[in-house]
Amino acid sequence: QVQLVESGGGLVQPGGSLSLSCAASGSIFGINVMGWYRQAPAKERELVATISNGGGTNYADSVKGRFTISRDNAKKTVYLQMNSLKPEDTAVYYCNFRTAYSGTYRTYWGQGTQVTVSS
């Protein structure tokens, strides 16, 4: 059974930094796109950043220049470095893996990790 396990959330002051990681366990093949999404209270889940197998990245406008997504294919892990954090970045952050293997496409989600930006 495939699980995505996230770590690194917490409480940070405005202007501070946090680093999130998400590692896949179990038999997962053909990982294509890895990404991070977030959901604030009473809001819909939104894209934060994605990174393709080839290293191409895509960011939400609200985090460009502040957040950096990266991946380690050998470790089946995706990272999110978050700098210059703002109170509006407060949300539950979810990692997401999309796979394509033998003609089958799957999407996996992590359990979520809370990020709170507050003084």
Side-chain angles (χ1 to χ4, degrees):
Q1 184 176 355
V2 174
Q3 282 190 315
L4 302 187
V5 180
E6 300 159 359
S7 60
L11 172 66
V12 65
Q13 292 187 342
S17 298
L18 276 178
S19 181
L20 305 182
S21 63
C22 171
S25 63
S27 298
I28 184 169
F29 302 100
I31 300 173
N32 188 2
V33 178
M34 299 180 178
W36 290 94
Y37 292 72
R38 66 186 181 186
Q39 187 166 18
K43 292 189 176 180
E44 293 188 353
R45 190 173 297 189
E46 64 176 3
L47 169 73
V48 176
T50 61
I51 183 167
S52 71
N53 206 13
T57 57
N58 179 47
Y59 294 93
D61 287 344
S62 59
V63 307
K64 281 180 182 176
R66 299 188 298 121
F67 290 10
T68 302
I69 189 170
S70 59
R71 62 191 282 170
D72 185 327
N73 291 331
K75 294 182 178 179
K76 295 182 289 184
T77 299
V78 64
Y79 306 94
L80 186 68
Q81 177 64 40
M82 303 183 292
N83 299 327
S84 302
L85 282 160
K86 304 175 181 180
E88 51 263 43
D89 294 318
T90 295
V92 178
Y93 284 69
Y94 298 90
C95 62
N96 169 280
F97 284 15
R98 283 180 261 165
T99 67
Y101 186 74
S102 295
T104 299
Y105 299 85
R106 290 191 171 93
T107 299
Y108 299 93
W109 290 93
Q111 80 283 359
T113 186
Q114 178 70 46
V115 171
T116 302
V117 185
S118 175
S119 54

